[in-house]
Amino acid sequence: MELKDIRERINEIDSQMVALFCSRMDASAAVAKAKAESGLGVRDKKREREVLARVAGLAGSEYETYAKVLFTTLMSLSRSYQHALSAGDSLSPRLRAAMESTPEVFPRKATVACQGIEGAYSQQACDRLFSLPSIMYFGDWGSVFTAVEKGLCQYGMLPIENSTHGSVYEIYDLMRRHQFYIVRSMRLRIDHALLTKPGVDLKEVRTVISHHQALGQCSEYLSSLKGVNIVSCANTAVAAREVAESSDRTVACISSRSCSETYGLEVKATDIANSDNHYTRFICIAREPEIYPGSNRVSLMLNLPHEPGSLYELLSHFAALDLNVRKLESRPIPGSDFEFTFYFDLEADLNAPGVLPLLGSLSRDIPSLTFLGAYSEV
């Protein structure tokens, strides 16, 4: 047969398959009704195993694996459709309400909680995001969440990801624990510098202090300094303040150029990070979801069972709606038998067809799913 003839044959088969697919989804609707009347849940794993075993046998040894993949996807779509026809989810109505109640424009001024002190990178990110912020400083990330939770601050500004050290998992854990939401994010270029008291020669330096991540990000430069002790502290800005207040001229710090001006220190070396293209991504968090016009990123975290195809099945839903996965990370769940928590950033607009129903369906299918926010990055 010519290629043209083969393709025409495939088109005929595809038409038959689409008709059968629609018939199958109609049957799924009838199943959903019967289950609802009987008080049964949507998913029946025993039935799914029986279906997969049956179609694998029908397909034969050459195609049984492909048949299993196809029917696993079909059953996933069937479950989503049955969920949509059954009792509504709690997530999508809340997101619709947030979209309707959120102002058209992101606020220019607000009271914002930051970890650290004046000069911290979170403060610099806050100044970039808000025109007139009123900043309150706290000693740790947990206190930032508490300040927002108690209404002391409208928002919190926190680091979520670093271009060299990856995600800040403690922030993700706090987001889930407090059930907070990301309302905006931004990327801030981090320009680490070595700072000393005025007039100190670099050869005099015997101790360098900074936040542990900054120390790791500048490890190659620090290894070039002979006979120097490395000491971790709470924050890069705190390190600058400690050097400024210390009477010991042999103590230096890794901090920002901004902190050299704030605390009267002298810049001894610049661009000392291991990577020239060094960024930290910050998120602005709130107690309730705020979904501003133009929001084009959705963040989720969820647990998946340690089963073949569990991640593939989830990704197939995203692919079906042409949603690009910008970030996919995982880490083991402590105390579990090889189960993992997954972090997703999707390029997704909640106004796009199918996105809200998909999130609602996932929230029903995956009890551990945490919706972290729909927002834009600046």
Side-chain angles (χ1 to χ4, degrees):
M1 294 177 66
E2 297 290 334
L3 179 60
K4 179 182 177 182
D5 297 328
I6 298 172
R7 286 175 172 171
E8 287 179 358
R9 176 58 179 152
I10 289 176
N11 287 340
E12 292 174 5
I13 296 171
D14 287 347
S15 297
Q16 297 171 28
M17 290 178 65
V18 169
L20 290 172
F21 171 75
C22 292
S23 296
R24 195 183 197 283
M25 295 300 277
D26 289 340
S28 293
V31 168
K33 182 179 179 182
K35 286 180 177 178
E37 292 172 351
S38 303
L40 299 175
V42 167
R43 187 158 199 181
D44 185 343
K45 290 189 175 182
K46 181 175 180 293
R47 166 64 177 165
E48 291 180 7
R49 287 194 296 271
E50 291 172 349
V51 170
L52 292 178
R54 179 174 175 273
V55 299
L58 290 172
S61 59
E62 183 175 0
Y63 299 121
E64 63 179 11
T65 300
Y66 301 101
K68 183 178 179 181
V69 171
L70 172 62
F71 276 82
T72 296
T73 302
L74 278 175
M75 289 188 290
S76 176
L77 294 172
S78 176
R79 286 198 307 273
S80 296
Y81 187 44
Q82 290 182 46
H83 276 309
L85 295 173
S86 60
D89 67 279
S90 59
L91 177 60
S92 54
R94 190 174 190 194
L95 298 184
R96 287 191 186 94
M99 294 166 69
E100 293 171 359
S101 62
T102 301
E104 291 290 319
V105 179
F106 192 76
R108 295 177 61 250
K109 54 184 179 180
T111 303
V112 185
C114 291
Q115 184 269 338
I117 60 175
E118 188 71 20
Y121 285 115
S122 56
Q123 173 250 307
Q124 296 178 40
C126 186
D127 284 340
R128 288 269 305 275
L129 193 57
F130 297 92
S131 300
L132 298 167
S134 176
I135 301 176
M136 296 180 65
Y137 294 104
F138 297 89
D140 54 65
W141 292 328
S143 297
V144 171
F145 280 85
T146 300
V148 177
E149 193 166 57
K150 292 184 175 180
L152 296 175
C153 299
Q154 184 179 356
Y155 300 110
M157 185 67 69
L158 295 156
I160 193 70
E161 184 180 5
N162 183 269
S163 56
T164 57
H165 275 59
S167 295
V168 185
Y169 293 127
E170 185 180 344
I171 301 298
Y172 280 106
D173 293 341
L174 288 165
M175 290 289 292
R176 172 175 274 178
R177 188 180 311 151
H178 290 267
Q179 297 183 342
F180 278 14
Y181 300 90
I182 304 171
V183 300
R184 191 62 56 102
S185 70
M186 69 165 301
R187 294 169 75 242
L188 182 71
R189 188 177 189 280
I190 304 301
D191 183 15
H192 289 313
L194 185 72
L195 311 181
T196 67
K197 299 178 78 68
V200 173
D201 190 282
L202 187 57
K203 295 179 181 179
E204 299 179 58
V205 174
R206 291 293 174 266
T207 302
V208 175
I209 62 175
S210 192
H211 186 265
H212 68 89
Q213 282 196 343
L215 295 172
Q217 291 155 10
C218 301
S219 59
E220 294 177 9
Y221 173 78
L222 290 172
S223 65
S224 70
L225 302 178
K226 305 304 180 183
V228 172
N229 296 317
I230 309 301
V231 178
S232 176
C233 68
N235 185 277
T236 56
V238 169
R241 185 180 65 182
E242 289 186 8
V243 170
E245 294 177 350
S246 174
S247 59
D248 186 353
R249 291 172 54 85
T250 68
V251 178
C253 69
I254 292 176
S255 191
S256 66
R257 296 193 193 193
S258 174
C259 279
S260 69
E261 300 171 0
T262 302
Y263 296 102
L265 299 177
E266 192 172 293
V267 178
K268 288 299 178 184
T270 60
D271 299 320
I272 61 175
N274 298 345
S275 170
D276 294 334
N277 190 29
H278 183 47
Y279 289 86
T280 293
R281 184 167 164 244
F282 287 85
I283 56 172
C284 181
I285 61 168
R287 283 183 297 178
E288 299 295 333
E290 297 178 8
I291 304 173
Y292 291 89
S295 296
N296 57 4
R297 181 175 293 196
V298 169
S299 291
L300 308 169
M301 62 185 297
L302 51 92
N303 303 340
L304 288 177
H306 187 52
E307 298 174 357
S310 59
L311 179 58
Y312 166 82
E313 183 178 332
L314 177 61
L315 292 174
S316 68
H317 287 294
F318 300 150
L321 294 180
D322 290 326
L323 303 182
N324 185 40
V325 179
R326 292 184 59 93
K327 174 179 179 178
L328 169 55
E329 289 187 13
S330 66
R331 64 167 171 155
I333 301 171
S336 69
D337 185 16
F338 296 104
E339 292 192 358
F340 289 81
T341 294
F342 288 84
Y343 307 94
F344 291 91
D345 282 352
L346 309 173
E347 288 182 358
D349 183 345
L350 297 191
N351 289 302
V355 175
L356 265 180
L358 170 62
L359 293 176
S361 176
L362 292 178
S363 71
R364 289 184 298 251
D365 275 350
I366 308 174
S368 65
L369 183 140
T370 299
F371 175 82
L372 296 173
Y375 55 95
S376 59
E377 182 162 295
V378 296

